[in-house]
Amino acid sequence: MLYKNFIGGQWLESSSKRVFKSLNPADSSEVIGEFQDSDADDVNRAVQAARAAYPGWRLTPAPKRGEILYRAAQILVSRKEELSGQMTREMGKVIEEARGDVQEAIDMTFYMAGEGRRQFGQTTPSELQNKFCMTTRAPLGVCALITPWNFPMAIPAWKSMPALILGNTIVMKPSPEAPLSMLNLVKILEEAGIPPGVVNMVTSSGPDAGRALVAHPAVRAVSFTGSTAVGKEVAAACAVSFKHLTLEMGGKNAILVMEDADLALAVDGAVWGGFGTTGQRCTAASRIVVHKDIYEAFSSKFVERARALKPGNGLDPSVQLGPLINEQQLHKVEEYVRIGKEEGAKLLTGGERLRPKGCSGGSFYAPTIFGDCDPRMRIVQEEIFGPVVALLPCSSLDEAVEFGNAVPYGLSSAIYTRDLNKAFRAMRDMETGIFYVNASTIGAETHLPFGGVKQTGNGHREAAVAALDFYSEWKSVYIDFSGRLQRAQIDTELSF
Ligand code: UN1
């Protein structure tokens, strides 16, 4: 199947005349489709289309924009099963999780549709008589949205829905590893009646189209989710023209398991957080800091559960562990396992490639746990983005928090404890944008701000009302109905 770019309401081939293939990571002999390998020309056309559509969309009443989003959400609901199956085939996550990904897109679309009738500003008294003050939100213009493959529908929805409901027009570029899910979302927006040019999408196999998009002078805002290394490059490119920028980058998230934790619950959380999506979430629990009093009991149960996970093609509902996204990612994981051994971490399970039955061409790796890790080890410091978890013994809550914070990232963290005091202290002291008590590090909901501190982000949040703040500018409005010149700060009647 040949898929095209979506520009100005039309499905178009790239001017490069090149295409690239997207493969099923569970079986690389299965081609998902051929996609346009777009170049700077295509990007320019998409941005121009978005620019041309902006005045009309900006002036479309927000509740009307919301109606289109409601329709899109309803179509997503009606096609959830089909969209989920396609997602599992294109990027490997097990079918139950693919349904979750589509559900997250549904939630975000309904949520932002509702913002069509909200987008509340403030009214506030003036310091002068016969003067009225209020704030309103104004859209930015053309927004460039660059998304990763690990949440191939949820993340495009996180970015596009708030941008659209506020009256911005968008150009999206998916990861070459999972373009189909974004394309499906775009098709649904088209079907829901989004006007031509409001939503545009270009696909590309390499970094050039993304670079051209970020550098384009007509782009006013960029939203990027991906690695910290690429995020740095995007930030530098945006800085020269003062483009608004939101970055969601790496994570090295910790679960703190205290001596009074419900052990079975903590193990459940570690398995889900560490090996869900095969560890390929920016929120994955890649470090577990365990109190020494329960360290042995915890690690033996955790290892047992990790070994029992069934790998394979995620379309089989009994499969619990899908493949890594590609061979390159598998080699990265192999390299980190080598580094971990060299650093002296104790390999408790895993550490090898898997070849599940019927998936000979897939990039599978065993759930891997390293014990007795030291906070300074590279496998504890660096994001691996695979099924590799480091266990760190600790001797107190203070030490657990210290270890938890001793990384360059700050996306998500969690504590398992029955002690309310410990839970609140950790909540206050963990340097992360997301914190869980007696739940794993993954599972953010769409109506709460999503994002992280330190090298995870640049101070913005996605989702929730926080997303509206990124995709709009405040306009402060003063209406003077006195009919005479009134001078703020000067014509004061009261003095102290
Ligand atoms: C990501 O890994 O980039 O909280 C996003 C979660 C999901 C989103 C993860 N709702 O794990």
Side-chain angles (χ1 to χ4, degrees), residues 104 148 150-151 155 158 225 280-284 385 411 434 436 441-445 450:
E104 210 165 317
N150 70 332
F151 277 79
I155 293 180
W158 288 7
T225 299
Q280 301 172 111
R281 290 198 192 209
C282 52
T283 49
F385 228 62
L411 181 54
I434 302 168
Y436 292 89
T441 55
I442 67 180
E445 302 177 26
F450 182 93

PDB file of all heavy atoms in Angstrom, residues 104 148 150-151 155 158 225 280-284 385 411 434 436 441-445 450, ligand 1:
ATOM      1  N   GLU A 104      -6.142   6.865  24.492  1.00  0.00           N
ATOM      2  CA  GLU A 104      -5.555   8.133  24.942  1.00  0.00           C
ATOM      3  C   GLU A 104      -5.824   9.234  23.906  1.00  0.00           C
ATOM      4  O   GLU A 104      -6.091  10.388  24.263  1.00  0.00           O
ATOM      5  CB  GLU A 104      -4.048   7.938  25.161  1.00  0.00           C
ATOM      6  CG  GLU A 104      -3.500   8.824  26.231  1.00  0.00           C
ATOM      7  CD  GLU A 104      -2.103   8.395  26.705  1.00  0.00           C
ATOM      8  OE1 GLU A 104      -1.863   7.186  26.887  1.00  0.00           O
ATOM      9  OE2 GLU A 104      -1.263   9.276  26.893  1.00  0.00           O
ATOM     10  N   PRO A 148       7.193  10.931  18.119  1.00  0.00           N
ATOM     11  CA  PRO A 148       7.953   9.676  18.126  1.00  0.00           C
ATOM     12  C   PRO A 148       7.065   8.482  17.745  1.00  0.00           C
ATOM     13  O   PRO A 148       5.860   8.635  17.537  1.00  0.00           O
ATOM     14  CB  PRO A 148       8.381   9.566  19.585  1.00  0.00           C
ATOM     15  CG  PRO A 148       7.233  10.154  20.347  1.00  0.00           C
ATOM     16  CD  PRO A 148       6.646  11.242  19.463  1.00  0.00           C
ATOM     17  N   ASN A 150       6.684   5.673  19.720  1.00  0.00           N
ATOM     18  CA  ASN A 150       6.262   4.777  20.806  1.00  0.00           C
ATOM     19  C   ASN A 150       4.814   4.975  21.243  1.00  0.00           C
ATOM     20  O   ASN A 150       4.196   4.052  21.744  1.00  0.00           O
ATOM     21  CB  ASN A 150       7.232   4.858  22.000  1.00  0.00           C
ATOM     22  CG  ASN A 150       7.141   6.173  22.726  1.00  0.00           C
ATOM     23  OD1 ASN A 150       6.786   7.198  22.145  1.00  0.00           O
ATOM     24  ND2 ASN A 150       7.464   6.164  24.005  1.00  0.00           N
ATOM     25  N   PHE A 151       4.273   6.192  21.044  1.00  0.00           N
ATOM     26  CA  PHE A 151       2.832   6.415  21.209  1.00  0.00           C
ATOM     27  C   PHE A 151       2.344   7.076  19.924  1.00  0.00           C
ATOM     28  O   PHE A 151       2.075   8.272  19.887  1.00  0.00           O
ATOM     29  CB  PHE A 151       2.546   7.263  22.459  1.00  0.00           C
ATOM     30  CG  PHE A 151       2.508   6.433  23.701  1.00  0.00           C
ATOM     31  CD1 PHE A 151       3.676   6.022  24.321  1.00  0.00           C
ATOM     32  CD2 PHE A 151       1.300   5.984  24.217  1.00  0.00           C
ATOM     33  CE1 PHE A 151       3.648   5.209  25.441  1.00  0.00           C
ATOM     34  CE2 PHE A 151       1.263   5.165  25.334  1.00  0.00           C
ATOM     35  CZ  PHE A 151       2.437   4.782  25.953  1.00  0.00           C
ATOM     36  N   ILE A 155       0.384  10.556  21.066  1.00  0.00           N
ATOM     37  CA  ILE A 155       1.193  11.784  21.096  1.00  0.00           C
ATOM     38  C   ILE A 155       0.787  12.759  19.976  1.00  0.00           C
ATOM     39  O   ILE A 155       0.630  13.955  20.242  1.00  0.00           O
ATOM     40  CB  ILE A 155       2.702  11.464  21.147  1.00  0.00           C
ATOM     41  CG1 ILE A 155       3.016  10.789  22.503  1.00  0.00           C
ATOM     42  CG2 ILE A 155       3.551  12.733  20.966  1.00  0.00           C
ATOM     43  CD1 ILE A 155       4.461  10.408  22.742  1.00  0.00           C
ATOM     44  N   TRP A 158      -2.147  14.398  21.453  1.00  0.00           N
ATOM     45  CA  TRP A 158      -1.776  15.339  22.527  1.00  0.00           C
ATOM     46  C   TRP A 158      -1.388  16.687  21.954  1.00  0.00           C
ATOM     47  O   TRP A 158      -1.618  17.718  22.539  1.00  0.00           O
ATOM     48  CB  TRP A 158      -0.528  14.872  23.258  1.00  0.00           C
ATOM     49  CG  TRP A 158      -0.620  13.709  24.158  1.00  0.00           C
ATOM     50  CD1 TRP A 158      -1.687  12.867  24.350  1.00  0.00           C
ATOM     51  CD2 TRP A 158       0.432  13.240  24.997  1.00  0.00           C
ATOM     52  NE1 TRP A 158      -1.331  11.910  25.260  1.00  0.00           N
ATOM     53  CE2 TRP A 158      -0.049  12.111  25.670  1.00  0.00           C
ATOM     54  CE3 TRP A 158       1.738  13.672  25.226  1.00  0.00           C
ATOM     55  CZ2 TRP A 158       0.734  11.408  26.571  1.00  0.00           C
ATOM     56  CZ3 TRP A 158       2.506  12.977  26.119  1.00  0.00           C
ATOM     57  CH2 TRP A 158       2.011  11.851  26.787  1.00  0.00           C
ATOM     58  N   THR A 225       8.659  15.661  20.634  1.00  0.00           N
ATOM     59  CA  THR A 225       8.870  14.586  21.604  1.00  0.00           C
ATOM     60  C   THR A 225       9.884  13.636  21.010  1.00  0.00           C
ATOM     61  O   THR A 225       9.719  13.174  19.872  1.00  0.00           O
ATOM     62  CB  THR A 225       7.556  13.836  21.912  1.00  0.00           C
ATOM     63  OG1 THR A 225       6.626  14.753  22.469  1.00  0.00           O
ATOM     64  CG2 THR A 225       7.804  12.701  22.912  1.00  0.00           C
ATOM     65  N   GLN A 280       9.838   0.705  26.284  1.00  0.00           N
ATOM     66  CA  GLN A 280      10.005   1.802  25.322  1.00  0.00           C
ATOM     67  C   GLN A 280       9.010   2.943  25.585  1.00  0.00           C
ATOM     68  O   GLN A 280       8.265   3.354  24.703  1.00  0.00           O
ATOM     69  CB  GLN A 280       9.851   1.273  23.902  1.00  0.00           C
ATOM     70  CG  GLN A 280      10.855   0.176  23.557  1.00  0.00           C
ATOM     71  CD  GLN A 280      10.562  -0.479  22.224  1.00  0.00           C
ATOM     72  OE1 GLN A 280      11.288  -0.334  21.275  1.00  0.00           O
ATOM     73  NE2 GLN A 280       9.464  -1.194  22.134  1.00  0.00           N
ATOM     74  N   ARG A 281       8.986   3.397  26.799  1.00  0.00           N
ATOM     75  CA  ARG A 281       8.179   4.572  27.152  1.00  0.00           C
ATOM     76  C   ARG A 281       9.123   5.560  27.787  1.00  0.00           C
ATOM     77  O   ARG A 281      10.033   5.165  28.527  1.00  0.00           O
ATOM     78  CB  ARG A 281       7.138   4.230  28.218  1.00  0.00           C
ATOM     79  CG  ARG A 281       6.030   3.359  27.777  1.00  0.00           C
ATOM     80  CD  ARG A 281       4.892   3.496  28.780  1.00  0.00           C
ATOM     81  NE  ARG A 281       3.900   2.470  28.554  1.00  0.00           N
ATOM     82  CZ  ARG A 281       2.610   2.601  28.833  1.00  0.00           C
ATOM     83  NH1 ARG A 281       2.159   3.716  29.369  1.00  0.00           N
ATOM     84  NH2 ARG A 281       1.764   1.630  28.598  1.00  0.00           N
ATOM     85  N   CYS A 282       8.857   6.836  27.570  1.00  0.00           N
ATOM     86  CA  CYS A 282       9.710   7.802  28.274  1.00  0.00           C
ATOM     87  C   CYS A 282       9.400   7.788  29.759  1.00  0.00           C
ATOM     88  O   CYS A 282      10.192   8.242  30.567  1.00  0.00           O
ATOM     89  CB  CYS A 282       9.599   9.191  27.671  1.00  0.00           C
ATOM     90  SG  CYS A 282       7.943   9.764  27.520  1.00  0.00           S
ATOM     91  N   THR A 283       8.248   7.208  30.127  1.00  0.00           N
ATOM     92  CA  THR A 283       7.884   7.106  31.541  1.00  0.00           C
ATOM     93  C   THR A 283       8.273   5.753  32.159  1.00  0.00           C
ATOM     94  O   THR A 283       7.936   5.492  33.318  1.00  0.00           O
ATOM     95  CB  THR A 283       6.352   7.274  31.693  1.00  0.00           C
ATOM     96  OG1 THR A 283       5.724   6.406  30.742  1.00  0.00           O
ATOM     97  CG2 THR A 283       5.913   8.697  31.461  1.00  0.00           C
ATOM     98  N   ALA A 284       8.949   4.896  31.397  1.00  0.00           N
ATOM     99  CA  ALA A 284       9.257   3.534  31.874  1.00  0.00           C
ATOM    100  C   ALA A 284      10.009   3.563  33.202  1.00  0.00           C
ATOM    101  O   ALA A 284      10.853   4.430  33.440  1.00  0.00           O
ATOM    102  CB  ALA A 284      10.082   2.795  30.828  1.00  0.00           C
ATOM    103  N   PHE A 385      15.793   2.775  26.836  1.00  0.00           N
ATOM    104  CA  PHE A 385      14.592   2.622  26.007  1.00  0.00           C
ATOM    105  C   PHE A 385      14.426   1.178  25.542  1.00  0.00           C
ATOM    106  O   PHE A 385      14.240   0.886  24.360  1.00  0.00           O
ATOM    107  CB  PHE A 385      14.616   3.572  24.810  1.00  0.00           C
ATOM    108  CG  PHE A 385      13.314   4.319  24.636  1.00  0.00           C
ATOM    109  CD1 PHE A 385      12.850   5.179  25.619  1.00  0.00           C
ATOM    110  CD2 PHE A 385      12.530   4.160  23.504  1.00  0.00           C
ATOM    111  CE1 PHE A 385      11.645   5.861  25.486  1.00  0.00           C
ATOM    112  CE2 PHE A 385      11.318   4.842  23.341  1.00  0.00           C
ATOM    113  CZ  PHE A 385      10.889   5.695  24.345  1.00  0.00           C
ATOM    114  N   LEU A 411      11.270  12.964  34.684  1.00  0.00           N
ATOM    115  CA  LEU A 411       9.907  12.863  34.145  1.00  0.00           C
ATOM    116  C   LEU A 411       8.929  12.316  35.181  1.00  0.00           C
ATOM    117  O   LEU A 411       8.031  13.003  35.621  1.00  0.00           O
ATOM    118  CB  LEU A 411       9.897  12.000  32.873  1.00  0.00           C
ATOM    119  CG  LEU A 411       8.527  11.855  32.203  1.00  0.00           C
ATOM    120  CD1 LEU A 411       7.886  13.198  31.923  1.00  0.00           C
ATOM    121  CD2 LEU A 411       8.631  11.050  30.921  1.00  0.00           C
ATOM    122  N   ILE A 434       5.978  14.213  37.271  1.00  0.00           N
ATOM    123  CA  ILE A 434       4.864  13.294  37.534  1.00  0.00           C
ATOM    124  C   ILE A 434       5.276  12.414  38.711  1.00  0.00           C
ATOM    125  O   ILE A 434       6.431  11.979  38.795  1.00  0.00           O
ATOM    126  CB  ILE A 434       4.578  12.416  36.290  1.00  0.00           C
ATOM    127  CG1 ILE A 434       4.260  13.303  35.067  1.00  0.00           C
ATOM    128  CG2 ILE A 434       3.442  11.438  36.539  1.00  0.00           C
ATOM    129  CD1 ILE A 434       4.238  12.559  33.743  1.00  0.00           C
ATOM    130  N   TYR A 436       3.772   9.210  41.448  1.00  0.00           N
ATOM    131  CA  TYR A 436       2.708   8.247  41.780  1.00  0.00           C
ATOM    132  C   TYR A 436       2.931   7.668  43.175  1.00  0.00           C
ATOM    133  O   TYR A 436       4.080   7.429  43.576  1.00  0.00           O
ATOM    134  CB  TYR A 436       2.737   7.072  40.797  1.00  0.00           C
ATOM    135  CG  TYR A 436       2.350   7.410  39.369  1.00  0.00           C
ATOM    136  CD1 TYR A 436       3.302   7.821  38.439  1.00  0.00           C
ATOM    137  CD2 TYR A 436       1.029   7.270  38.940  1.00  0.00           C
ATOM    138  CE1 TYR A 436       2.956   8.095  37.124  1.00  0.00           C
ATOM    139  CE2 TYR A 436       0.670   7.539  37.623  1.00  0.00           C
ATOM    140  CZ  TYR A 436       1.638   7.959  36.720  1.00  0.00           C
ATOM    141  OH  TYR A 436       1.288   8.220  35.424  1.00  0.00           O
ATOM    142  N   THR A 441       5.245   4.063  37.374  1.00  0.00           N
ATOM    143  CA  THR A 441       5.609   5.377  36.808  1.00  0.00           C
ATOM    144  C   THR A 441       4.896   5.688  35.496  1.00  0.00           C
ATOM    145  O   THR A 441       5.088   6.761  34.927  1.00  0.00           O
ATOM    146  CB  THR A 441       7.118   5.448  36.539  1.00  0.00           C
ATOM    147  OG1 THR A 441       7.472   4.328  35.697  1.00  0.00           O
ATOM    148  CG2 THR A 441       7.924   5.397  37.817  1.00  0.00           C
ATOM    149  N   ILE A 442       4.137   4.725  34.983  1.00  0.00           N
ATOM    150  CA  ILE A 442       3.462   4.946  33.695  1.00  0.00           C
ATOM    151  C   ILE A 442       1.955   5.022  33.913  1.00  0.00           C
ATOM    152  O   ILE A 442       1.452   4.549  34.922  1.00  0.00           O
ATOM    153  CB  ILE A 442       3.823   3.842  32.670  1.00  0.00           C
ATOM    154  CG1 ILE A 442       3.257   2.471  33.074  1.00  0.00           C
ATOM    155  CG2 ILE A 442       5.324   3.734  32.506  1.00  0.00           C
ATOM    156  CD1 ILE A 442       3.590   1.357  32.093  1.00  0.00           C
ATOM    157  N   GLY A 443       1.277   5.648  32.972  1.00  0.00           N
ATOM    158  CA  GLY A 443      -0.178   5.684  33.086  1.00  0.00           C
ATOM    159  C   GLY A 443      -0.750   7.068  33.290  1.00  0.00           C
ATOM    160  O   GLY A 443      -1.805   7.245  33.913  1.00  0.00           O
ATOM    161  N   ALA A 444      -0.086   8.083  32.720  1.00  0.00           N
ATOM    162  CA  ALA A 444      -0.581   9.459  32.839  1.00  0.00           C
ATOM    163  C   ALA A 444      -1.940   9.600  32.153  1.00  0.00           C
ATOM    164  O   ALA A 444      -2.194   8.974  31.133  1.00  0.00           O
ATOM    165  CB  ALA A 444       0.423  10.411  32.208  1.00  0.00           C
ATOM    166  N   GLU A 445      -2.811  10.404  32.727  1.00  0.00           N
ATOM    167  CA  GLU A 445      -4.133  10.662  32.158  1.00  0.00           C
ATOM    168  C   GLU A 445      -4.140  12.023  31.453  1.00  0.00           C
ATOM    169  O   GLU A 445      -3.379  12.918  31.827  1.00  0.00           O
ATOM    170  CB  GLU A 445      -5.190  10.596  33.270  1.00  0.00           C
ATOM    171  CG  GLU A 445      -5.171   9.235  33.949  1.00  0.00           C
ATOM    172  CD  GLU A 445      -6.151   9.118  35.122  1.00  0.00           C
ATOM    173  OE1 GLU A 445      -7.151   9.832  35.147  1.00  0.00           O
ATOM    174  OE2 GLU A 445      -5.869   8.287  36.013  1.00  0.00           O
ATOM    175  N   PHE A 450       1.373  16.842  31.584  1.00  0.00           N
ATOM    176  CA  PHE A 450       2.366  15.787  31.342  1.00  0.00           C
ATOM    177  C   PHE A 450       3.689  16.430  30.954  1.00  0.00           C
ATOM    178  O   PHE A 450       3.761  17.222  30.014  1.00  0.00           O
ATOM    179  CB  PHE A 450       1.890  14.873  30.200  1.00  0.00           C
ATOM    180  CG  PHE A 450       2.838  13.727  29.933  1.00  0.00           C
ATOM    181  CD1 PHE A 450       2.655  12.494  30.541  1.00  0.00           C
ATOM    182  CD2 PHE A 450       3.935  13.886  29.090  1.00  0.00           C
ATOM    183  CE1 PHE A 450       3.531  11.439  30.323  1.00  0.00           C
ATOM    184  CE2 PHE A 450       4.818  12.841  28.866  1.00  0.00           C
ATOM    185  CZ  PHE A 450       4.608  11.622  29.480  1.00  0.00           C
TER     186      PHE A 450
HETATM  187  C1  UN1 B   1       5.696   8.423  26.361  1.00  0.00           C
HETATM  188  O1  UN1 B   1       6.255   7.399  26.747  1.00  0.00           O
HETATM  189  O2  UN1 B   1       6.247   9.178  25.571  1.00  0.00           O
HETATM  190  O3  UN1 B   1       1.986   7.771  31.099  1.00  0.00           O
HETATM  191  C2  UN1 B   1       4.312   8.791  26.747  1.00  0.00           C
HETATM  192  C3  UN1 B   1       2.242   7.026  30.160  1.00  0.00           C
HETATM  193  C4  UN1 B   1       1.508   7.223  28.853  1.00  0.00           C
HETATM  194  C5  UN1 B   1       2.223   8.187  27.980  1.00  0.00           C
HETATM  195  C6  UN1 B   1       3.670   7.882  27.765  1.00  0.00           C
HETATM  196  N1  UN1 B   1       0.164   7.678  29.114  1.00  0.00           N
HETATM  197  O4  UN1 B   1       3.072   6.136  30.222  1.00  0.00           O
END
